[in-house]
């Protein structure tokens, strides 16, 4: 495919993505707004909203991959030098880089192409930063009333007396300020009327259902105690609670309901049975009774999927910038001055039009040709020494060490984050449940980054925080990709046959890491409801309500998910090991090291064998490397003695369609 057709394809692709993004903006504009001006795309059951959220992010993933891929392809085309660029640089005795992504050519391409390249590069940053956060799912955490009741209430219903329910006991039960006796009394009346029809759970099932922090399908809980005739104390213990700590035993802890910095109860326990624990609650604490089963009020929480319209607009604007840049590149890529994208392109071009400035340099590697090379008139021969190199030799030793250190630092960073996440999970007691397969699609997990320290962070701050890992990964990926291209190009040059099977796994790798990162740390909105479904205003393990913010009962938070961090770690280490493995492979053949240097390629294309000038002759000027033709080429000593001067015999190394010999050790070449 020619680069022009490629650019047209990219322009069409980015136009399609643009249309979808603008459509998204339009759709969101017609959706009902939430309190703080996000648009509510979906409002309904929590499990559906969790799935819709994952689907929306997968769609975003595909769109952004397409868009960034089109942008990347166009950037490479913008940066690839044309033959005219190469000739100009060679006339100043400088080599350009061909076939591998690099910034080296930057100063040697036209200003407008450079501008397009820069626009394409810069417009990727906002996309990386906000695309994933333009849509978010709201989670709901609810407080609930838990009470002990004598089984006989099931028969008597509303007519049973509850002498233990007074404004004093209600005041001590953790009810939020402003909720009075009447509301609690009304709730108890509802229990007496309706609880017989609620879900009947064993104490074990009950403890399990009420352990997660985000209760989605149940609310009020009755611990049914054996029937007695003594109703003086009814109801038994009752509490408004926001976490499982009411089931924990601890008589020594002074303020057991405090939250730690991660938003988990500072007081970890994993209750097995739903029964009030012995706690150091308050002065009027009474002995818990022994319930026999529990009745749980079925309750459908409403969760939402919301869109931030300003983010969608930002995305559309930068998408449009990409579209225009790609279109400009398309209209300005003339068919005559075609670019040298690959080794094949360059070889064809130099074979058809040999480059005078690199005559007699056929035995030099990339490195000596990085410096300005000497003038043509003085021929200096090179004594051949056998080349036995690894792919990684295509980069300098320092580059190699710096790259390894950078990758190791990145991997250590992920390990540290994973360690922190796991220890916070452990403190919260959710370590095991987080790693169950079902946890990937449920939204029962709530692991907040910096619960207290980030409490007053702004929306933009949180969005940037959760998306910085994406940006960091993208930078590493570009770096990884260019190293890999260099290694693969090195073996392509040596084998002189084309390798292309690697780009699909690479694309899959990048897409899945982006997706996993978006599942590892992400933005969530959590609504905290009190036991009656109003915004909660309490703070602490009795109620998570954020009572300080502008929206009581709501928290916008950066949340994380440890298994996804683990998956990112495993994938990154695999990728790093793969790179080491690929780089350390021995290169076949005994050949000069080109590493994309236009000078080395040009020098190998001077035809000194007197045979026909290869089939490539028919390839009209500037057309792309004919793969079949370049594949038929071999590089080596064509056996022609070129020049005899003061007893020295020079031989020549070149590409040829004929049989060639390996360069002989110790012979002089030029
Ligand atoms: C290419 O870049 C070099 C600096 O690396 C500069 O000196 C030279 O003028 C540039 N050549 C062209 C043709 O722009
Ligand atoms: C997250 O954003 C990146 C761009 O930085 C994108 O490549 C990736 O596909 C997105 N992932 C999801 C799940 O949205
Ligand atoms: C709940 O189940 C227990 C036994 O599993 C049973 O004894 C009890 O009567 C049931 N209660 C109601 C209200 O269905
Ligand atoms: C850019 O595109 C090339 C193919 O044109 C591909 O090999 C490479 O992986 C892409 N790089 C990035 C950063 O997506």
């Amino acid at each position: 495919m020619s680069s022009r057709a490629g650019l047209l394809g990219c322009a069409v692709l980015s136009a399609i993505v643009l249309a979808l993004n603008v459509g998204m903006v339009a759709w969101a504009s017609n959706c009902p707004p939430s309190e703080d001006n996000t648009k509510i795309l979906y409002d309904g059951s929590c499990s559906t909203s969790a799935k819709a959220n994952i689907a929306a992010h997968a769609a975003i993933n595909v769109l952004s991959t397409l868009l960034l891929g089109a942008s990347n392809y166009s950037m490479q085309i913008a940066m690839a030098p044309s033959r005219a660029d190469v000739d100009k640089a060679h006339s100043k005795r400088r080599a350009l880089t061909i076939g591998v992504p690099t910034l080296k050519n930057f100063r040697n391409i036209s200003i407008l192409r450079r501008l397009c390249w820069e626009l394409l590069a810069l417009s990727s940053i906002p996309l990386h930063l906000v695309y994933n956060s333009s849509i978010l799912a709201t989670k709901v955490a609810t407080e609930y009333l838990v009470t002990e009741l004598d089984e006989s209430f099931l028969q008597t219903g509303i007519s049973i007396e509850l002498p233990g329910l007074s404004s004093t006991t209600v005041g001590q039960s953790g009810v939020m300020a402003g909720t009075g006796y009447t509301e609690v009394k009304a709730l108890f009346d509802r229990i007496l009327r309706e609880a017989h029809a609620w879900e009947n759970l064993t104490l074990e099932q009950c403890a399990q259902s009420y352990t997660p922090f985000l209760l989605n399908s149940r609310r009020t809980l009755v611990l049914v105690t054996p029937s007695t005739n003594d109703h003086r104390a009814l109801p038994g213990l009752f509490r408004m609670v926001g976490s499982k700590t009411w089931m924990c035993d601890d008589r020594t802890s002074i303020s057991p309901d405090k939250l730690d910095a991660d938003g988990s109860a500072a007081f970890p326990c994993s209750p097995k049975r739903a029964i009030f624990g012995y706690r150091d609650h308050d002065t009027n604490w009474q002995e818990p009774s022994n319930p026999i089963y529990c009745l749980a009020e079925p309750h459908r929480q409403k969760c939402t999927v919301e869109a931030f319209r300003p983010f969608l607009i930002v995305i559309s604007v930068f998408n449009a910038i990409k579209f225009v840049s790609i279109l400009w590149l398309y209209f300005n890529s003339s068919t005559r001055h075609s670019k040298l994208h690959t080794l094949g392109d360059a070889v064809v071009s130099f074979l058809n039009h040999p480059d005078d400035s690199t005559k007699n340099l056929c035995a030099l590697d990339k490195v000596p040709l990085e410096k300005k090379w000497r003038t043509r008139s003085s021929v200096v021969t090179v004594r051949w020494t056998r080349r036995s190199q690894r792919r990684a030799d295509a980069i300098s030793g320092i580059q190699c060490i710096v790259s390894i250190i950078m990758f190791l630092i990145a991997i250590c960073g992920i390990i540290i984050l994973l360690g922190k996440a796991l220890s916070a999970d452990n403190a919260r007691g959710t370590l095991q449940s987080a790693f169950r397969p079902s946890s990937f699609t449920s939204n029962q997990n709530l692991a907040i980054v910096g619960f207290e320290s980030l409490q007053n962070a702004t929306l933009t701050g949180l969005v940037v925080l959760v998306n910085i890992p994406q940006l960091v990964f993208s930078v590493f990926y570009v770096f990884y990709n260019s190293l890999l291209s260099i290694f693969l190009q090195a073996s392509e040059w040596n084998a002189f046959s084309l390798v292309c099977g690697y780009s699909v796994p690479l694309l899959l790798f990048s897409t899945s890491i982006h997706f996993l990162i978006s599942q590892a740390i992400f933005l969530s909105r959590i609504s905290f409801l009190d036991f009656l479904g109003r915004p909660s205003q309490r703070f602490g393990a009795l109620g998570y309500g954020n009572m300080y913010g502008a929206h009581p009962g709501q928290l916008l938070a950066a949340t994380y998910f440890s298994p996804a961090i683990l998956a990112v770690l495993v994938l990154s280490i695999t990728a790093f090991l793969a790179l080491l493995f690929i780089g350390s492979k021995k290169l076949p053949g005994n050949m000069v090291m080109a590493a994309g240097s236009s000078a080395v390629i040009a020098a190998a294309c001077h035809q000194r064998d007197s045979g026909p000038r290869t089939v490539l002759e028919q390839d009209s000027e500037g057309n792309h490397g004919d793969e079949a033709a370049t594949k038929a080429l071999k590089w080596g000593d064509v056996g022609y003695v070129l020049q005899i001067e003061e007893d020295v015999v020079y031989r020549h190394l070149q590409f040829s369609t004929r049989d060639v010999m390996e360069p002989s050790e110790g012979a002089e070449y030029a």
Side-chain angles (χ1 to χ4, degrees), residues 323-336:
F323 172 64
V324 171
S325 308
I326 296 174
L327 214 57
W328 189 91
L329 282 174
Y330 170 71
F331 283 118
N332 287 275
S333 66
S334 75
T335 35
R336 280 182 337 108

Side-chain angles (χ1 to χ4, degrees), residues 72-73 76 477-478 481 502 506:
N72 162 41
Y73 179 85
Q76 281 193 336
Y477 178 71
V478 169
N481 184 55
Y502 74 100
L506 200 60

Side-chain angles (χ1 to χ4, degrees), residues 56-58 60-62 64-65 68 124 127-129 131-132 467 470-471 474 510-511 514-516 518-519:
H57 278 101
I60 286 181
N61 210 336
V62 170
S64 65
T65 303
L68 293 171
S124 296
L127 287 179
H128 281 300
L129 282 182
Y131 216 153
N132 290 313
N467 287 295
Q470 300 277 13
L471 195 60
S474 300
S510 129
T511 311
H514 273 305
F515 180 72
L516 285 171
S518 77
Q519 300 302 303

Side-chain angles (χ1 to χ4, degrees), residues 144 146 207 210-213 239-250 253 255-260 263-271 273 275-281 285 427-428 540-544:
Y144 53 97
V146 48
Y210 280 81
T211 300
F213 168 56
R239 282 278 175 288
M240 310 301 155
V241 295
S243 79
K244 63 184 179 187
T245 49
W246 59 271
M247 291 183 262
C248 300
D249 276 323
D250 184 25
S253 161
S255 76
D257 287 337
K258 214 181 150 340
L259 287 180
D260 72 10
S264 54
F267 178 56
C269 72
S270 10
R273 287 157 55 81
I275 164 172
F276 272 108
Y278 285 92
R279 301 288 307 285
D280 183 15
H281 270 100
W285 180 249
R428 202 181 297 107
L542 284 175
Y544 277 101

Side-chain angles (χ1 to χ4, degrees), residues 559-620:
T559 43
Y560 68 89
F561 183 48
S562 316
I565 307 180
L566 182 65
V568 170
L569 179 65
V570 170
L571 263 186
S572 318
I573 292 180
T574 312
F576 176 60
L577 292 180
L579 190 66
L580 286 185
F581 174 73
I582 292 172
S584 66
K585 263 178 119 174
K586 273 256 162 59
L587 286 171
N590 177 11
M591 199 170 174
V592 289
M593 177 63 86
S597 163
S598 58
V600 178
I601 302 170
C605 292
H606 291 285
Q607 299 287 294
R608 294 291 172 75
D609 56 351
S610 51
R613 276 265 305 271
T614 80
V615 285
L616 303 165
E617 201 79 279
Q618 300 134 9
D619 202 330
S620 68

